[in-house]
Amino acid sequence: MTASDTTAINKKGTPEPSFDKTAQRILNLFFVLNSSPEPLTTEQIVLDSDLGYGSGNIDSDKRKFRRDRDKLLERGIVIKEVRLAGAQETEESSWTIDREHTFAAGGLITADDADILLDAIDQTLAAGSSAFAAPLADIRSKIAYLTGISAADEAPIHRSPTVDAVWSAFAERCALRFLYQNGRGEQKERTVCVYGMFEHDGTAYFCGLDNATDNIRTFRCDRIVRAWRPSKAYSIPADFNLNDYLFFEFDFADRPPIAATFSFARESQADMVSGLTRGRGDLARSEEGWTWTVDVRDFDAAASFCMAHAMDGMRPVAPDALKLAWNHLIERTVHEHARS
């Protein structure tokens, strides 16, 4: 803070620092570059008013961007220029964080604990953790720094910028604004208060309160096209339970949920049915067998899920749209089998 910076007076009569727009802009720049899965062009950066640029004077904004890169470099964060192979000097540059050369500080744990923690983290990452790779990789860098392990001795760690963005928002308890692409390739901007993260088959997911629907929804991290720096603090409800939101294939569609009912054969074992339904929805047993009612957003995916477990005696019961999707799936399967 320089002498020319303005200050405010708090209730106790002591001065407080004013809002530092430069610091905010630099922080926004770091977060956006860190969370973007692809390098951002100069134009994407300097025309973005949300970042703190976009003043209307592009030359001035480019100078700000250059100074901000220098400020980040002073703090050990390297922003590198990226050019496509064969690109001309006059073509627009793109920018990303140079993760290989960006400094990772250490010294937050004792040397006695370092070897044990390092081994535990390596085993966890080797098992394919994706949702928690970001915090574990950061901790690992600090441990490696503390123990003097060279970069050549470190195990390779795959980090996803989009997972990093979600984790940062979750850790800070600040709402994340992002551009999301659904399974049909449609893109829409959303803002979500992240309540929890999990992974399935090597893919990271998160769920939270979605501003577009005002409901708790589940999203795939790898479908985030771009993320902005988190804002607007929130609290996770005390009654929230992540287990209630572990997804099924039929959870991913931009449609309101509709209650669907499935049945299982009377002889189906309780542990099999319980494991298959994962504690979601309402499960009931009668003399005729089992019934399971659960919210469904995508009837085609629900029919496919049911077909995959048809050998377990699973069948669609209601609504008619679910049974229609089931019949279409059978017809398509028979037709493809007949052609082969």
Side-chain angles (χ1 to χ4, degrees):
M1 187 73 67
T2 65
S4 61
D5 290 322
T6 58
T7 58
I9 304 299
N10 64 19
K11 292 180 179 179
K12 295 181 180 179
T14 56
E16 293 180 337
S18 65
F19 177 76
D20 191 331
K21 292 183 179 180
T22 300
Q24 183 76 10
R25 187 179 66 245
I26 293 172
L27 188 58
N28 287 343
L29 175 64
F30 167 68
F31 183 85
V32 168
L33 288 174
N34 187 54
S35 63
S36 176
E38 300 291 340
L40 298 179
T41 66
T42 304
E43 186 173 276
Q44 284 178 311
I45 294 170
V46 301
L47 296 183
D48 193 336
S49 58
D50 287 335
L51 283 178
Y53 303 102
S55 67
N57 186 333
I58 192 167
D59 290 332
S60 173
D61 285 323
K62 285 182 177 179
R63 288 193 294 272
K64 287 180 186 176
F65 176 42
R66 184 168 59 250
R67 291 195 298 269
D68 292 346
R69 296 200 307 272
D70 292 339
K71 289 292 185 182
L72 286 172
L73 182 59
E74 291 174 6
R75 289 155 178 81
I77 300 169
V78 182
I79 308 300
K80 68 178 180 180
E81 184 178 7
V82 179
R83 287 184 181 273
L84 296 176
Q88 301 296 319
E89 285 296 323
T90 55
E91 293 185 42
E92 187 176 30
S93 299
S94 294
W95 304 88
T96 189
I97 291 180
D98 186 342
R99 300 182 188 279
E100 182 179 355
H101 297 100
T102 291
F103 177 73
L108 298 184
I109 61 170
T110 66
D112 292 338
D113 296 329
D115 288 338
I116 297 174
L117 287 172
L118 194 61
D119 184 59
I121 290 173
D122 283 346
Q123 290 187 42
T124 302
L125 293 174
S129 174
S130 58
F132 306 108
L136 289 176
D138 287 342
I139 293 171
R140 193 193 192 288
S141 294
K142 294 170 183 176
I143 296 171
Y145 178 86
L146 180 66
T147 56
I149 295 177
S150 67
D153 296 329
E154 294 186 17
I157 298 172
H158 174 71
R159 291 187 61 163
S160 164
T162 54
V163 175
D164 284 2
V166 176
W167 177 263
S168 295
F170 178 50
E172 296 175 12
R173 297 294 191 271
C174 289
L176 180 67
R177 182 164 68 96
F178 55 92
L179 186 63
Y180 190 76
Q181 180 169 298
N182 64 21
R184 297 187 297 276
E186 302 165 343
Q187 295 186 359
K188 183 177 180 180
E189 190 175 304
R190 318 185 83 100
T191 300
V192 172
C193 299
V194 183
Y195 287 175
M197 297 182 67
F198 61 95
E199 60 184 77
H200 179 73
D201 289 339
T203 299
Y205 297 83
F206 65 100
C207 65
L209 185 63
D210 174 29
N211 75 319
T213 62
D214 201 31
N215 289 316
I216 297 177
R217 297 287 305 277
T218 302
F219 302 90
R220 290 178 54 147
C221 291
D222 61 0
R223 288 185 178 170
I224 294 178
V225 178
R226 183 184 179 188
W228 286 264
R229 181 173 176 267
S231 60
K232 298 180 182 178
Y234 65 89
S235 298
I236 299 176
D239 59 352
F240 173 77
N241 187 342
L242 182 60
N243 290 332
D244 295 335
Y245 296 93
L246 297 182
F247 75 95
F248 288 98
E249 290 84 343
F250 46 72
D251 287 331
F252 297 98
D254 289 327
R255 306 186 188 99
I258 297 176
T261 301
F262 302 86
S263 66
F264 291 92
R266 182 173 55 183
E267 60 271 17
S268 297
Q269 296 297 313
D271 57 350
M272 184 278 292
V273 176
S274 177
L276 192 62
T277 56
R278 306 178 194 172
R280 287 271 302 274
D282 297 318
L283 187 62
R285 189 174 190 178
S286 65
E287 292 184 358
E288 288 75 27
W290 298 83
T291 57
W292 179 42
T293 302
V294 65
D295 284 345
V296 166
R297 295 179 185 274
D298 186 333
F299 284 123
D300 290 332
S304 296
F305 178 81
C306 189
M307 181 67 72
H309 298 284
M311 295 294 291
D312 298 316
M314 188 177 185
R315 297 291 186 274
V317 175
D320 289 341
L322 173 61
K323 294 191 288 185
L324 183 63
W326 165 269
N327 290 332
H328 284 167
L329 182 59
I330 293 175
E331 292 171 2
R332 186 167 67 250
T333 302
V334 171
H335 178 69
E336 291 177 354
H337 180 71
R339 288 198 314 172
S340 63

